[in-house]
Amino acid sequence: MLTLITGGSKCGKSSIAEDILSLVQSRKIYIATMEPYCDEAHKAIERHRKMRLGKGFETIEKYTDIQDVTVLNGCGILLECACNLMANEMFSAGENDPVSKITKGIAHLNEKASEVIIVTNSVGADGIIYPAETMEYIKNMGNLNCALAQMSDRVIEAVYGIPVMLKGSLPECFSNR
């Protein structure tokens, strides 16, 4: 099962993703894609580590090349987030076709895992024209999010912590809310 969770900044995407992954009874892997490059990044990483504390996650820090992650049959995977992964592939690794590389990497994860959840962000909706490098990133993120939505069994938009189904059905962990 492949689930894509999208939404704006600080809208509850991570909490929704963790709630869905709580249904997985086997090994839970958190693929962290944020490179700790500044104080804000370190603060965000620490906040997410605290959120996951005691929830049974094994964290793998993988900033690029997610196709190289070893996946055991039946495990649950939470990849957070596609936007950081895209930035790393484009700007740190200099990847020429990051959309294809990331899409293939996620397909690889989904082949063996029982549940793969990808957290992404809505980018490009503000209509502002940015420098060319940023516009290329926004274009690539739009293409990646479209490709992931097509691949996914479920697409959820997080709105103020509420999961809004765009594709598929609401997971059972949200039935009593």
Side-chain angles (χ1 to χ4, degrees), residues 57-101:
F57 284 99
E58 173 189 333
T59 300
I60 297 174
E61 294 184 14
K62 192 72 173 144
Y63 312 129
T64 60
D65 301 315
I66 60 167
Q67 73 279 356
D68 295 339
V69 174
T70 302
V71 179
L72 298 178
N73 286 333
C75 69
I77 296 174
L78 169 51
L79 185 144
E80 188 155 0
C81 89
C83 293
N84 289 327
L85 183 58
M86 176 64 73
N88 298 340
E89 290 289 0
M90 286 180 66
F91 304 123
S92 295
E95 177 61 41
N96 290 326
D97 188 4
V99 174
S100 293
K101 183 178 181 184

Short mmCIF file of all heavy atoms in Angstrom, two decimals, residues 57-101:
data_model
loop_
_atom_site.label_atom_id
_atom_site.label_comp_id
_atom_site.label_asym_id
_atom_site.label_seq_id
_atom_site.Cartn_x
_atom_site.Cartn_y
_atom_site.Cartn_z
N PHE A 57 10.05 3.20 15.83
CA PHE A 57 10.67 3.48 14.54
C PHE A 57 12.17 3.23 14.58
O PHE A 57 12.83 3.55 15.55
CB PHE A 57 10.46 4.95 14.14
CG PHE A 57 9.09 5.27 13.65
CD1 PHE A 57 8.16 5.85 14.48
CD2 PHE A 57 8.73 4.99 12.34
CE1 PHE A 57 6.90 6.16 14.02
CE2 PHE A 57 7.47 5.29 11.88
CZ PHE A 57 6.55 5.88 12.72
N GLU A 58 12.66 2.67 13.50
CA GLU A 58 14.09 2.59 13.24
C GLU A 58 14.37 3.70 12.23
O GLU A 58 13.78 3.72 11.15
CB GLU A 58 14.44 1.22 12.64
CG GLU A 58 15.86 1.12 12.18
CD GLU A 58 16.10 -0.17 11.40
OE1 GLU A 58 15.40 -1.17 11.61
OE2 GLU A 58 17.02 -0.14 10.55
N THR A 59 15.24 4.62 12.56
CA THR A 59 15.52 5.75 11.67
C THR A 59 16.72 5.47 10.78
O THR A 59 17.77 5.04 11.27
CB THR A 59 15.76 7.04 12.48
OG1 THR A 59 14.59 7.33 13.25
CG2 THR A 59 16.06 8.22 11.57
N ILE A 60 16.53 5.72 9.50
CA ILE A 60 17.62 5.65 8.53
C ILE A 60 17.74 7.04 7.92
O ILE A 60 16.78 7.54 7.34
CB ILE A 60 17.32 4.62 7.41
CG1 ILE A 60 17.21 3.21 7.99
CG2 ILE A 60 18.39 4.69 6.32
CD1 ILE A 60 16.77 2.16 6.99
N GLU A 61 18.88 7.66 8.10
CA GLU A 61 19.11 8.96 7.49
C GLU A 61 19.66 8.71 6.09
O GLU A 61 20.73 8.16 5.92
CB GLU A 61 20.07 9.78 8.34
CG GLU A 61 19.46 10.14 9.68
CD GLU A 61 20.34 11.03 10.53
OE1 GLU A 61 21.32 11.60 10.01
OE2 GLU A 61 20.03 11.15 11.72
N LYS A 62 18.86 9.10 5.11
CA LYS A 62 19.21 8.84 3.70
C LYS A 62 18.82 10.07 2.90
O LYS A 62 17.67 10.29 2.59
CB LYS A 62 18.48 7.59 3.21
CG LYS A 62 18.97 7.06 1.90
CD LYS A 62 20.33 6.42 2.05
CE LYS A 62 20.76 5.72 0.77
NZ LYS A 62 22.17 5.83 0.53
N TYR A 63 19.81 10.89 2.56
CA TYR A 63 19.55 12.18 1.94
C TYR A 63 19.41 12.09 0.42
O TYR A 63 18.80 12.96 -0.19
CB TYR A 63 20.68 13.16 2.30
CG TYR A 63 21.00 13.17 3.78
CD1 TYR A 63 22.30 13.03 4.23
CD2 TYR A 63 19.99 13.31 4.72
CE1 TYR A 63 22.59 13.03 5.57
CE2 TYR A 63 20.28 13.32 6.08
CZ TYR A 63 21.58 13.18 6.49
OH TYR A 63 21.86 13.18 7.84
N THR A 64 19.97 11.07 -0.17
CA THR A 64 19.87 10.80 -1.61
C THR A 64 19.85 9.29 -1.79
O THR A 64 20.05 8.54 -0.84
CB THR A 64 21.07 11.38 -2.39
OG1 THR A 64 22.28 10.78 -1.90
CG2 THR A 64 21.17 12.90 -2.27
N ASP A 65 19.62 8.85 -3.01
CA ASP A 65 19.77 7.43 -3.38
C ASP A 65 18.88 6.50 -2.55
O ASP A 65 19.35 5.47 -2.06
CB ASP A 65 21.23 7.00 -3.28
CG ASP A 65 22.15 7.80 -4.17
OD1 ASP A 65 21.78 8.03 -5.34
OD2 ASP A 65 23.22 8.23 -3.69
N ILE A 66 17.59 6.82 -2.42
CA ILE A 66 16.71 5.96 -1.62
C ILE A 66 16.56 4.57 -2.21
O ILE A 66 16.17 3.63 -1.50
CB ILE A 66 15.33 6.60 -1.37
CG1 ILE A 66 14.61 6.87 -2.68
CG2 ILE A 66 15.46 7.83 -0.50
CD1 ILE A 66 13.15 7.20 -2.51
N GLN A 67 16.90 4.40 -3.48
CA GLN A 67 16.84 3.08 -4.09
C GLN A 67 17.82 2.12 -3.44
O GLN A 67 17.71 0.91 -3.60
CB GLN A 67 17.08 3.17 -5.61
CG GLN A 67 18.51 3.45 -6.01
CD GLN A 67 18.94 4.91 -5.93
OE1 GLN A 67 18.14 5.79 -5.63
NE2 GLN A 67 20.21 5.17 -6.20
N ASP A 68 18.78 2.64 -2.68
CA ASP A 68 19.78 1.80 -2.03
C ASP A 68 19.37 1.32 -0.63
O ASP A 68 20.11 0.57 0.00
CB ASP A 68 21.12 2.55 -1.92
CG ASP A 68 21.72 2.84 -3.29
OD1 ASP A 68 21.37 2.16 -4.27
OD2 ASP A 68 22.54 3.77 -3.37
N VAL A 69 18.19 1.76 -0.15
CA VAL A 69 17.73 1.33 1.17
C VAL A 69 17.31 -0.14 1.09
O VAL A 69 16.55 -0.54 0.19
CB VAL A 69 16.54 2.20 1.65
CG1 VAL A 69 15.95 1.65 2.95
CG2 VAL A 69 16.98 3.65 1.83
N THR A 70 17.80 -0.94 2.01
CA THR A 70 17.43 -2.35 2.09
C THR A 70 16.08 -2.47 2.77
O THR A 70 15.88 -1.96 3.88
CB THR A 70 18.49 -3.15 2.87
OG1 THR A 70 19.75 -2.99 2.22
CG2 THR A 70 18.12 -4.62 2.95
N VAL A 71 15.16 -3.14 2.10
CA VAL A 71 13.79 -3.26 2.59
C VAL A 71 13.49 -4.72 2.89
O VAL A 71 13.72 -5.59 2.04
CB VAL A 71 12.78 -2.72 1.55
CG1 VAL A 71 11.36 -2.87 2.03
CG2 VAL A 71 13.09 -1.28 1.21
N LEU A 72 12.99 -4.99 4.09
CA LEU A 72 12.58 -6.34 4.44
C LEU A 72 11.11 -6.52 4.10
O LEU A 72 10.31 -5.59 4.20
CB LEU A 72 12.79 -6.59 5.93
CG LEU A 72 14.23 -6.51 6.43
CD1 LEU A 72 14.29 -6.71 7.93
CD2 LEU A 72 15.11 -7.54 5.72
N ASN A 73 10.74 -7.73 3.71
CA ASN A 73 9.36 -8.02 3.37
C ASN A 73 8.43 -7.67 4.52
O ASN A 73 8.70 -8.01 5.67
CB ASN A 73 9.18 -9.50 3.01
CG ASN A 73 9.74 -9.83 1.65
OD1 ASN A 73 9.81 -8.97 0.78
ND2 ASN A 73 10.12 -11.08 1.47
N GLY A 74 7.35 -6.96 4.20
CA GLY A 74 6.30 -6.69 5.17
C GLY A 74 6.53 -5.52 6.10
O GLY A 74 5.69 -5.24 6.95
N CYS A 75 7.65 -4.83 6.00
CA CYS A 75 7.89 -3.71 6.91
C CYS A 75 7.04 -2.50 6.53
O CYS A 75 6.46 -2.45 5.45
CB CYS A 75 9.36 -3.34 6.93
SG CYS A 75 9.97 -2.60 5.41
N GLY A 76 6.98 -1.53 7.43
CA GLY A 76 6.32 -0.27 7.15
C GLY A 76 7.38 0.81 7.01
O GLY A 76 8.36 0.82 7.75
N ILE A 77 7.18 1.70 6.05
CA ILE A 77 8.16 2.75 5.79
C ILE A 77 7.47 4.11 5.76
O ILE A 77 6.43 4.27 5.13
CB ILE A 77 8.87 2.53 4.43
CG1 ILE A 77 9.68 1.23 4.47
CG2 ILE A 77 9.76 3.72 4.08
CD1 ILE A 77 10.28 0.85 3.13
N LEU A 78 8.07 5.06 6.44
CA LEU A 78 7.65 6.45 6.37
C LEU A 78 8.84 7.24 5.84
O LEU A 78 9.89 7.28 6.46
CB LEU A 78 7.23 6.97 7.74
CG LEU A 78 7.00 8.47 7.92
CD1 LEU A 78 6.08 9.05 6.87
CD2 LEU A 78 6.47 8.75 9.32
N LEU A 79 8.69 7.84 4.66
CA LEU A 79 9.73 8.67 4.08
C LEU A 79 9.32 10.12 4.26
O LEU A 79 8.27 10.54 3.79
CB LEU A 79 9.91 8.37 2.59
CG LEU A 79 11.08 9.11 1.92
CD1 LEU A 79 11.72 8.22 0.87
CD2 LEU A 79 10.64 10.42 1.30
N GLU A 80 10.17 10.87 4.95
CA GLU A 80 9.87 12.28 5.21
C GLU A 80 11.11 13.12 4.94
O GLU A 80 12.11 12.95 5.62
CB GLU A 80 9.42 12.45 6.66
CG GLU A 80 8.92 13.83 6.89
CD GLU A 80 7.93 13.92 8.04
OE1 GLU A 80 7.61 12.91 8.68
OE2 GLU A 80 7.48 15.04 8.29
N CYS A 81 11.06 13.98 4.01
CA CYS A 81 9.97 14.22 3.09
C CYS A 81 10.49 14.28 1.66
O CYS A 81 11.68 14.44 1.44
CB CYS A 81 9.21 15.46 3.46
SG CYS A 81 9.76 17.02 2.76
N ALA A 82 9.59 14.15 0.71
CA ALA A 82 9.95 14.14 -0.71
C ALA A 82 10.60 15.45 -1.13
O ALA A 82 11.46 15.47 -2.01
CB ALA A 82 8.72 13.84 -1.56
N CYS A 83 10.20 16.55 -0.51
CA CYS A 83 10.75 17.86 -0.88
C CYS A 83 12.23 17.96 -0.52
O CYS A 83 13.03 18.48 -1.31
CB CYS A 83 9.97 18.98 -0.21
SG CYS A 83 8.29 19.10 -0.82
N ASN A 84 12.60 17.49 0.66
CA ASN A 84 14.01 17.48 1.04
C ASN A 84 14.80 16.55 0.13
O ASN A 84 15.90 16.88 -0.30
CB ASN A 84 14.18 17.02 2.49
CG ASN A 84 13.71 18.05 3.48
OD1 ASN A 84 13.80 19.24 3.26
ND2 ASN A 84 13.18 17.57 4.58
N LEU A 85 14.22 15.39 -0.15
CA LEU A 85 14.88 14.43 -1.03
C LEU A 85 15.14 15.06 -2.41
O LEU A 85 16.23 14.93 -2.96
CB LEU A 85 14.04 13.16 -1.15
CG LEU A 85 14.63 12.03 -1.96
CD1 LEU A 85 15.97 11.58 -1.42
CD2 LEU A 85 13.64 10.86 -2.00
N MET A 86 14.14 15.76 -2.95
CA MET A 86 14.30 16.42 -4.25
C MET A 86 15.42 17.46 -4.20
O MET A 86 16.28 17.50 -5.09
CB MET A 86 12.99 17.08 -4.68
CG MET A 86 13.10 17.87 -5.98
SD MET A 86 13.48 16.87 -7.43
CE MET A 86 11.90 16.05 -7.67
N ALA A 87 15.40 18.29 -3.17
CA ALA A 87 16.44 19.32 -3.05
C ALA A 87 17.82 18.68 -2.96
O ALA A 87 18.77 19.15 -3.61
CB ALA A 87 16.18 20.19 -1.82
N ASN A 88 17.94 17.61 -2.19
CA ASN A 88 19.23 16.94 -2.05
C ASN A 88 19.70 16.35 -3.38
O ASN A 88 20.87 16.46 -3.73
CB ASN A 88 19.15 15.84 -1.00
CG ASN A 88 18.81 16.37 0.37
OD1 ASN A 88 18.98 17.55 0.66
ND2 ASN A 88 18.29 15.51 1.22
N GLU A 89 18.77 15.69 -4.08
CA GLU A 89 19.14 15.09 -5.37
C GLU A 89 19.55 16.15 -6.38
O GLU A 89 20.51 15.98 -7.11
CB GLU A 89 17.98 14.24 -5.94
CG GLU A 89 17.72 12.97 -5.18
CD GLU A 89 18.78 11.89 -5.34
OE1 GLU A 89 19.79 12.09 -6.05
OE2 GLU A 89 18.62 10.83 -4.72
N MET A 90 18.82 17.27 -6.40
CA MET A 90 19.12 18.32 -7.37
C MET A 90 20.38 19.11 -7.02
O MET A 90 21.23 19.32 -7.87
CB MET A 90 17.94 19.30 -7.45
CG MET A 90 16.73 18.79 -8.18
SD MET A 90 15.39 20.02 -8.22
CE MET A 90 16.13 21.32 -9.24
N PHE A 91 20.47 19.55 -5.77
CA PHE A 91 21.49 20.53 -5.42
C PHE A 91 22.73 19.93 -4.77
O PHE A 91 23.82 20.44 -4.95
CB PHE A 91 20.88 21.61 -4.53
CG PHE A 91 19.68 22.28 -5.17
CD1 PHE A 91 18.46 22.28 -4.53
CD2 PHE A 91 19.78 22.88 -6.41
CE1 PHE A 91 17.35 22.89 -5.12
CE2 PHE A 91 18.68 23.49 -7.02
CZ PHE A 91 17.46 23.49 -6.36
N SER A 92 22.58 18.84 -4.02
CA SER A 92 23.76 18.21 -3.41
C SER A 92 24.37 17.16 -4.34
O SER A 92 25.58 17.09 -4.48
CB SER A 92 23.39 17.54 -2.08
OG SER A 92 23.00 18.49 -1.13
N ALA A 93 23.51 16.35 -4.97
CA ALA A 93 24.01 15.26 -5.80
C ALA A 93 24.13 15.65 -7.27
O ALA A 93 24.77 14.94 -8.04
CB ALA A 93 23.09 14.04 -5.66
N GLY A 94 23.47 16.74 -7.68
CA GLY A 94 23.54 17.17 -9.08
C GLY A 94 22.85 16.23 -10.05
O GLY A 94 23.24 16.12 -11.21
N GLU A 95 21.81 15.55 -9.58
CA GLU A 95 21.07 14.59 -10.41
C GLU A 95 20.39 15.30 -11.58
O GLU A 95 19.73 16.31 -11.41
CB GLU A 95 20.03 13.87 -9.54
CG GLU A 95 19.16 12.89 -10.27
CD GLU A 95 19.93 11.75 -10.92
OE1 GLU A 95 20.87 11.23 -10.29
OE2 GLU A 95 19.58 11.38 -12.04
N ASN A 96 20.55 14.74 -12.79
CA ASN A 96 19.96 15.32 -14.00
C ASN A 96 18.46 15.04 -14.13
O ASN A 96 17.73 15.84 -14.70
CB ASN A 96 20.68 14.81 -15.25
CG ASN A 96 22.07 15.38 -15.36
OD1 ASN A 96 22.32 16.51 -14.97
ND2 ASN A 96 22.99 14.59 -15.90
N ASP A 97 17.99 13.88 -13.65
CA ASP A 97 16.58 13.52 -13.75
C ASP A 97 16.09 13.05 -12.38
O ASP A 97 15.82 11.87 -12.16
CB ASP A 97 16.38 12.43 -14.80
CG ASP A 97 14.91 12.14 -15.09
OD1 ASP A 97 14.03 12.83 -14.53
OD2 ASP A 97 14.65 11.22 -15.88
N PRO A 98 15.98 14.00 -11.43
CA PRO A 98 15.63 13.60 -10.06
C PRO A 98 14.22 13.02 -9.93
O PRO A 98 13.99 12.16 -9.08
CB PRO A 98 15.76 14.90 -9.27
CG PRO A 98 15.57 15.99 -10.27
CD PRO A 98 16.15 15.45 -11.55
N VAL A 99 13.28 13.43 -10.78
CA VAL A 99 11.92 12.90 -10.69
C VAL A 99 11.92 11.40 -10.96
O VAL A 99 11.36 10.62 -10.18
CB VAL A 99 10.97 13.64 -11.67
CG1 VAL A 99 9.58 12.99 -11.68
CG2 VAL A 99 10.86 15.12 -11.29
N SER A 100 12.57 10.97 -12.04
CA SER A 100 12.64 9.53 -12.36
C SER A 100 13.39 8.76 -11.29
O SER A 100 12.97 7.67 -10.89
CB SER A 100 13.32 9.31 -13.70
OG SER A 100 12.52 9.80 -14.74
N LYS A 101 14.49 9.32 -10.82
CA LYS A 101 15.30 8.62 -9.82
C LYS A 101 14.50 8.41 -8.53
O LYS A 101 14.49 7.31 -7.97
CB LYS A 101 16.57 9.41 -9.52
CG LYS A 101 17.48 8.71 -8.53
CD LYS A 101 18.75 9.48 -8.30
CE LYS A 101 19.66 8.75 -7.33
NZ LYS A 101 20.86 9.53 -7.01
#
